[in-house]
Amino acid sequence: MSDRYLRSDLRPPSPRGWVWWLPLAAVLVDVAAELIVRGREPVSFMLIAVPPLAAATRGPRGTALSALVCLGLQMWMAARRPGHFDEQHHVAVYIATTLIGIAGVALARQRERTRQHLIRANSVAEAMQRTLLRPVPRRLGPVRAAGFYEAGEGGTLVGGDLYDVCETPFGVRAIIGDVRGKGLDAVQTVAAVLGSFRVSAHEWQSLSALAGRLELSIARNSPAGDDGDPELFVTALVLEFSPDGGEVRIADRGHPAPLAVGPQGARRLVTAPGLPLGLGALAPDGEDTTVHRLEPAEVLVLHTDGVSEARDADGVFYPVLERLGERFCGERPPDPETVVSFVRTDAERWSAQCTQPDDDDRAVLALSLEAVTGNDSIRSQP
């Protein structure tokens, strides 16, 4: 797979730049020095450094060509001085340039292999991310949606945050969650929860029952043995927009509460927090969902703690509710894309000056009802 098909942040660094021109610059400097001294001083030895420089920026053929050019220039420079062409020191320079050129070709070949391996690995990682965290559709029935995900660990694409939205016979349903821990265990748990949600959301009418199925998926798919995390759990919000009204039902499993943002400001929706997924055996089952009615102009914002716990230079947490209220209060009704874009850029700007490394994943999901009629029923979109 060519790296031109990868996302820009996944492509291996391009060798083009000032380093790419170093071999040519070294050759030109050496030739200029030879013309200036007019063969009175041996300057051809400097060309020995060109093949390694070429190996760092060019392929095997380019490296081999640079070695041949340097070898030819060394012979030409030696021939300009009578009796020096086959002189012992010049012969040693020819041999050294040849051997270094051969080593440079081998290094260039190995670098190209490593680059191709990195491209393949990145393409697999991107495919895995698209499989686990599929792009959020802009509209599902009467609900408009937008979201973003950013892994906290540098060089990774998938971490411990998750989200998804789907249209079911019971209405549009959504989930956002945060897995405790990091690494392979967290990715496996994300895959288990999302896989279960995408199937069970279409089969279970009760949100509490749906949360129970997600709980079961964690129990069945958690890593076993000594390598598994005995304290594995997932904080999550499971939501449902009813197909015949402006209500949203919320099952809270220990996750940060959702926010409603509109021209009137931002407000936090009160939920009935339960134990996180994976710890449900510690409490009896029950119907613990809450119901809220959204205003037609409001956008429901769900986020993980990677957003709310982003710190500034003074160590102050990012105030999601206040920042959203300041930005959209008194403005025209926002759309999910605008809200998600604001939270993403504003949180990054807030934490940009923080000296402590921020390795927590960040995920935001924004949902809004397309329209509400006079009798508070959702007007479906074609």
Side-chain angles (χ1 to χ4, degrees), residues 22-79:
L22 279 181
L24 179 60
V27 170
L28 294 177
V29 169
D30 196 78
V31 172
E34 171 66 20
L35 295 177
I36 292 174
V37 301
R38 298 183 179 182
R40 292 190 300 270
E41 298 292 337
V43 296
S44 61
F45 68 91
M46 293 191 298
L47 293 173
I48 296 177
V50 173
L53 292 176
T57 57
R58 289 164 173 79
R61 292 183 180 180
T63 304
L65 179 61
S66 70
L68 291 175
V69 170
C70 290
L71 186 60
L73 288 174
Q74 288 170 343
M75 292 180 177
W76 171 73
M77 294 177 184

Side-chain angles (χ1 to χ4, degrees), residues 178 256 303-312 315-320 347 350-351 354 356-362:
D178 188 353
H303 65 85
T304 58
D305 59 11
V307 176
S308 57
E309 294 181 1
R311 298 173 182 265
D312 64 3
V316 179
F317 288 132
Y318 177 67
V320 190
W350 180 274
S351 60
C354 182
Q356 299 179 354
D358 184 7
D359 59 353
D360 201 359
D361 303 336
R362 295 179 184 178

Side-chain angles (χ1 to χ4, degrees), residues 228-281:
D229 187 349
E231 299 180 357
L232 185 67
F233 63 83
V234 182
T235 65
L237 290 174
V238 185
L239 300 91
E240 173 188 290
F241 289 89
S242 60
D244 57 353
E247 294 181 344
V248 58
R249 301 174 63 86
I250 304 172
D252 186 350
R253 292 297 183 268
H255 198 79
L259 311 175
V261 183
Q264 303 303 319
R267 60 190 177 100
R268 194 180 306 274
L269 302 187
V270 178
T271 61
L275 290 177
L277 301 175
L279 303 179

Side-chain angles (χ1 to χ4, degrees), residues 178-313:
D178 188 353
V179 180
R180 176 194 175 275
K182 299 182 182 297
L184 184 58
D185 286 356
V187 175
Q188 290 176 338
T189 303
V190 167
V193 173
L194 288 178
S196 178
F197 174 79
R198 288 163 184 168
V199 174
S200 302
H202 297 265
E203 299 176 348
W204 296 85
Q205 182 174 4
S206 168
L207 279 187
S208 294
L210 173 57
R213 298 300 296 181
L214 302 180
E215 178 101 23
L216 184 60
S217 71
I218 296 177
R220 289 176 174 175
N221 294 279
S222 60
D226 296 336
D227 295 335
D229 187 349
E231 299 180 357
L232 185 67
F233 63 83
V234 182
T235 65
L237 290 174
V238 185
L239 300 91
E240 173 188 290
F241 289 89
S242 60
D244 57 353
E247 294 181 344
V248 58
R249 301 174 63 86
I250 304 172
D252 186 350
R253 292 297 183 268
H255 198 79
L259 311 175
V261 183
Q264 303 303 319
R267 60 190 177 100
R268 194 180 306 274
L269 302 187
V270 178
T271 61
L275 290 177
L277 301 175
L279 303 179
L282 302 178
D285 295 334
E287 184 70 29
D288 52 2
T289 60
T290 56
V291 181
H292 294 271
R293 177 165 291 274
L294 295 178
E295 298 297 329
E298 284 186 318
V299 175
L300 194 63
V301 180
L302 319 175
H303 65 85
T304 58
D305 59 11
V307 176
S308 57
E309 294 181 1
R311 298 173 182 265
D312 64 3

